[in-house]
Amino acid sequence: MDASPASEIALPGLPNSLELSRDGNIAILRLTRPEKRNAIDNAMIEGIDRVFSSLPSDIRAFVIHGEGEHFCAGLDLSSLTETDAYEAVLHSRTWHAAFNKIEKAAMPVIAVLHGATVGGGLELASSAHIRVAERSTFYALPEGQRGIFVGGGASVRVPKLITLARTMDMMLTGRTYGAEEGVTLGFSQYLAENGQGLAMAMDLARKIASNAPLSNYAVLHAMPRIAESQDEAGFFIESLMSAIASSDKDAKDRLRAFLEKRAPKVTHNG
Ligand code: 1HE
């Protein structure tokens, strides 16, 4: 992976395993623990939680990526050996809290995947809104082989991407999937050449950041709730969200720009 561009966002107390920067109105979080394949320890979870609690308000899109040969090897297994059941529940809840902040962020989050995207690494990836997978990416849920169970949200989020049956098969048999298959199955929305994932994600982030912030917010916060609602409630939420979005000044300016032929048309390059 290329080094990220951009200026650092100062967030005191962030562990050395995380690097936060910005490029214009796009924030970039880099997992910087390649010697442990970006395995996630408590300091990283606390750091991720803090990053998503303290973002500058002008950030319009967010990109997460990892240093080294792998996006993320999941939970740092050395941190679980001495915990009892109660501590383990609380530990899992810290992951849920951090990853829920990603999923419920005010701005879209794009994860750039490469190499191992396994266990908690897949849980981190699946809490993002868009995944760009380089060809080297492979997915696994090896918790069963380690004698444990997923604890960072995989049981909720991964079935929404690839179906419950496939998720259970991965958990039971240790089955892995690669990047090409992964884009067909729903692990990622985009496939990138090795080394090109960050550039692709930054292009997507720039497109996203050029939308009206309220439109993006509506997509992130209304769509999942509508998907989990009865149709009638969904239609009603849609109407309310639509009315709120179209009454925003940004919407009025953009609609006028189109009608006055100052805005680009929709094009398709096949
Ligand atoms: C680690 C971890 C880790 C690597 N915790 N230390 N996750 C797993 O079960 C995946 C475990 N990891 C692997 O299968 C492999 O390391 C990889 C396929 C990711 C990469 O292989 P490779 O050959 O590039 O690296 P390596 O030589 O295996 O690892 C390099 C170092 O990273 C080595 O430490 P070293 O001190 O010997 O140099 C590894 O021990 C260390 N390392 N992965 C701790 N995960 C909230 S619940 C979530 C539950 C889970 O995520 S379970 C899945 C855990």
Side-chain angles (χ1 to χ4, degrees):
M1 301 280 299
D2 293 332
S4 53
S7 58
E8 194 189 336
I9 298 181
L11 196 57
L14 215 57
N16 290 338
S17 48
L18 295 174
E19 208 177 84
L20 183 63
S21 61
R22 64 180 297 160
D23 182 354
N25 55 5
I26 300 165
I28 303 152
L29 181 66
R30 183 171 167 91
L31 312 181
T32 51
R33 203 185 176 211
E35 69 286 2
K36 295 289 179 191
R37 307 314 185 242
N38 295 321
I40 300 176
D41 60 10
N42 291 343
M44 283 171 87
I45 281 293
E46 283 162 27
I48 292 170
D49 191 301
R50 215 134 59 73
V51 164
F52 280 88
S53 309
S54 355
L55 281 174
S57 60
D58 63 335
I59 295 298
R60 295 284 175 260
F62 198 109
V63 173
I64 302 179
H65 70 125
E67 187 177 330
E69 297 302 308
H70 303 280
F71 172 67
C72 178
L75 170 70
D76 185 325
L77 292 167
S78 65
S79 64
L80 263 198
T81 51
E82 301 302 328
T83 51
D84 63 23
Y86 180 59
E87 287 167 338
V89 169
L90 297 184
H91 177 260
S92 162
R93 300 299 288 162
T94 65
W95 283 55
H96 291 159
F99 292 177
N100 283 346
K101 284 186 185 166
I102 298 176
E103 186 183 325
K104 300 284 186 270
M107 78 296 298
V109 179
I110 306 175
V112 183
L113 314 179
H114 71 292
T117 300
V118 304
L122 180 52
E123 294 179 313
L124 169 60
S126 60
S127 65
H129 306 104
I130 295 179
R131 282 156 295 282
V132 173
E134 294 189 356
R135 284 193 192 274
S136 63
T137 308
F138 60 95
Y139 307 96
L141 290 171
E143 283 80 354
Q145 290 135 271
R146 310 286 175 229
I148 56 177
F149 188 71
V150 295
S155 64
V156 172
R157 294 194 176 100
V158 178
K160 289 179 182 167
L161 300 180
I162 61 161
T163 77
L164 176 59
R166 285 196 187 96
T167 309
M168 288 170 65
D169 176 34
M170 288 176 77
M171 294 166 79
L172 291 169
T173 67
R175 182 172 185 168
T176 62
Y177 288 104
E180 285 88 358
E181 218 176 349
V183 79
T184 310
L185 296 180
F187 280 106
S188 82
Q189 294 95 326
Y190 294 89
L191 181 64
E193 296 307 321
N194 291 334
Q196 300 299 309
L198 181 58
M200 183 187 278
M202 291 302 291
D203 281 347
L204 295 169
R206 282 184 205 100
K207 283 185 195 154
I208 286 168
S210 72
N211 295 339
L214 185 57
S215 291
N216 286 345
Y217 189 87
V219 171
L220 300 187
H221 291 267
M223 287 294 288
R225 290 182 169 92
I226 291 169
E228 283 164 10
S229 302
Q230 300 281 328
D231 285 0
E232 275 311 315
F235 289 135
F236 191 65
I237 298 170
E238 180 183 272
S239 294
L240 295 181
M241 195 64 251
S242 172
I244 293 167
S246 61
S247 61
D248 196 55
K249 180 177 177 310
D250 207 338
K252 305 233 175 288
D253 291 346
R254 286 165 185 255
L255 296 172
R256 200 173 306 111
F258 177 77
L259 295 173
E260 292 169 2
K261 309 216 176 295
R262 289 183 286 110
K265 293 185 193 183
V266 176
T267 52
H268 179 63
N269 298 321

